[in-house]
Amino acid sequence: PPANHHGNGDSDDDMPAAPPEEEDEVETEQPLSPTVFGSGRGTEPLLAPPEEEVAGLEGEAAGARHGVRVIEEVYSKSCEAGSNTAMDAVRALYPHWSEFNANTEMGRRVKWARCSNDWVYGELSTGSFASLIAGTGPIEGDGRTFVDLGCGTGKVTALASLHFANVLGLELQIELHSMACALAERFRSLAENHGVRTGTMSLHQADFLGHLSQSWTNAAGQHWWELADVAYACSPKFSKETMAGLDDLAALMRPGAYFVTVRHPLQNSAMDEVWRGEAIFSWGRDDLVVYRHK
C-alpha cells in the first residue's frame, strides 16, 4: 500500500519463483507488472492546483491556498521518497523470501509482498484533491472525519486537514509511517507559523483490513469505517482480494458517508456511485470514483 500498502497492485494467485531484482520489475510465474509510481519516470505530480479550483471550494478558500503552498514545500519530494522507501522495505524481506508459507507474521508479510503489488507507491496530485472534495459535495456537521487508507507519506492526509476537523491516516509499512509522522510534524509547524488552520491529524501504523496487523480502533473502540465521513483509498493497483475486503468494510459505513477509490469500482449494493472524473496522479491520469452509502 497509499501503500497500505495494501497499496496499488493487481495480483495473480501464483507465487513468484524468486524475489524481484529490479525496482520496476517483479519476477513471477505470471508477471505482476508493478510500476513504481513517482520514481522519476513518466508524468510527475501536478503540485500546484489551478487557482480557480482552490477558489471554488466552499468556505476556507483563502486558507486552503495558503495551506497548499505549505504542502507544496513540505511534500515536494514525498512521492519519490515514498516509492524508494516502499521498494526498500520489500528488499529487506529478501532474506526471508522462502518463508511465504509460514504461519508467522514474517511469513504473512513475505506472502503479501510476493503475491501482490499492494506495496507499490503512488500519490494523488495536490490540484486533483479539489476534485475529490467537489465530488463528495457538502458534508454536514462540525466533526467531519476523513480517513486515508494506506496513507503512505501522508500528503493526502495533510491536504484533507485543510478541509476536515479530523483526519485519520492508516499505513501498514512502518518505514512509510515514520516518514509520514516526520512530515506531518513539519507541516503542522509551518502551517501554524503561516496562520493556516488545520484539523487534527492522527497517523497510525496499521493494516486497514486487519489482516497483517491488528485492526486499528480509537480509544472508544471504534473502527475507521464507523468514524469516516469520507474514506479514500489510492487503489489503481489493489489486488482483487484487497478490493473485496474494502467492499465488505465500506458496506459497514454509516448512511451518507462517502468512499473514494481510484480506477477500481466498489461492488457492494450499499454504495451508490455519485461522481466519476479524471484526476492527476504521480503516474499520470486515472479515474477518481466517489460512492455514497445509501
Side-chain angles (χ1 to χ4, degrees):
N4 182 357
H5 265 99
H6 282 293
N8 303 326
D10 293 324
S11 69
D12 299 319
D13 293 332
D14 295 331
M15 298 279 185
E21 297 296 335
E22 301 294 335
E23 180 175 344
D24 59 351
E25 185 174 332
V26 175
E27 183 180 347
T28 67
E29 291 176 326
Q30 296 185 9
L32 296 174
S33 302
T35 301
V36 179
F37 301 148
S39 57
R41 300 183 293 273
T43 305
E44 291 300 314
L46 176 65
L47 291 177
E51 287 294 316
E52 61 271 17
E53 280 195 74
V54 177
L57 297 176
E58 293 188 6
E60 308 165 351
R65 281 194 294 270
H66 290 299
V68 163
R69 293 188 187 104
V70 174
I71 288 170
E72 287 176 1
E73 178 176 344
V74 174
Y75 294 91
S76 62
K77 302 295 184 182
S78 65
C79 192
E80 182 177 359
S83 296
N84 293 335
T85 299
M87 190 66 220
D88 288 344
V90 171
R91 289 194 179 107
L93 296 174
Y94 291 178
H96 307 277
W97 214 242
S98 63
E99 300 176 32
F100 61 85
N101 280 328
N103 188 23
T104 62
E105 180 180 354
M106 178 59 69
R108 288 187 289 273
R109 285 179 177 266
V110 169
K111 187 172 184 177
W112 165 76
R114 289 188 62 169
C115 298
S116 79
N117 286 331
D118 279 5
W119 48 267
V120 180
Y121 193 82
E123 287 181 351
L124 177 69
S125 73
T126 307
S128 287
F129 187 78
S131 298
L132 187 157
I133 294 295
T136 60
I139 300 171
E140 297 180 358
D142 296 329
R144 300 174 300 165
T145 299
F146 182 98
V147 178
D148 188 357
L149 302 171
C151 66
T153 63
K155 176 185 171 184
V156 169
T157 61
L159 286 164
S161 75
L162 302 177
H163 307 281
F164 290 81
N166 303 292
V167 182
L168 169 66
L170 301 180
E171 171 54 50
L172 173 62
Q173 296 195 55
I174 190 168
E175 298 86 356
L176 285 172
H177 169 67
S178 298
M179 185 182 298
C181 290
L183 289 171
E185 282 302 314
R186 186 178 175 216
F187 168 67
R188 290 188 189 102
S189 177
L190 284 178
E192 183 177 353
N193 290 343
H194 286 80
V196 175
R197 296 178 59 185
T198 65
T200 300
M201 293 174 60
S202 178
L203 301 171
H204 301 274
Q205 195 255 320
D207 177 359
F208 56 69
L209 294 181
H211 294 168
L212 296 174
S213 72
Q214 187 173 357
S215 294
W216 177 87
T217 59
N218 65 8
Q222 295 171 298
H223 296 272
W224 65 259
W225 57 86
E226 299 174 280
L227 299 170
D229 292 295
V230 177
Y232 168 73
C234 188
S235 58
K237 300 285 261 177
F238 274 18
S239 67
K240 292 179 180 178
E241 292 77 13
T242 299
M243 287 304 301
L246 283 177
D247 247 327
D248 292 341
L249 297 180
L252 302 177
M253 296 172 73
R254 65 169 182 79
Y258 292 90
F259 198 105
V260 184
T261 68
V262 180
R263 189 185 302 172
H264 294 313
L266 294 179
Q267 303 289 348
N268 73 72
S269 58
M271 310 294 287
D272 285 332
E273 182 178 322
V274 295
W275 186 85
R276 177 186 293 260
E278 191 177 73
I280 299 174
F281 297 83
S282 50
W283 61 93
R285 297 179 182 273
D286 219 321
D287 285 341
L288 194 66
V289 191
V290 179
Y291 297 87
R292 188 175 187 273
H293 199 291
K294 295 177 181 177

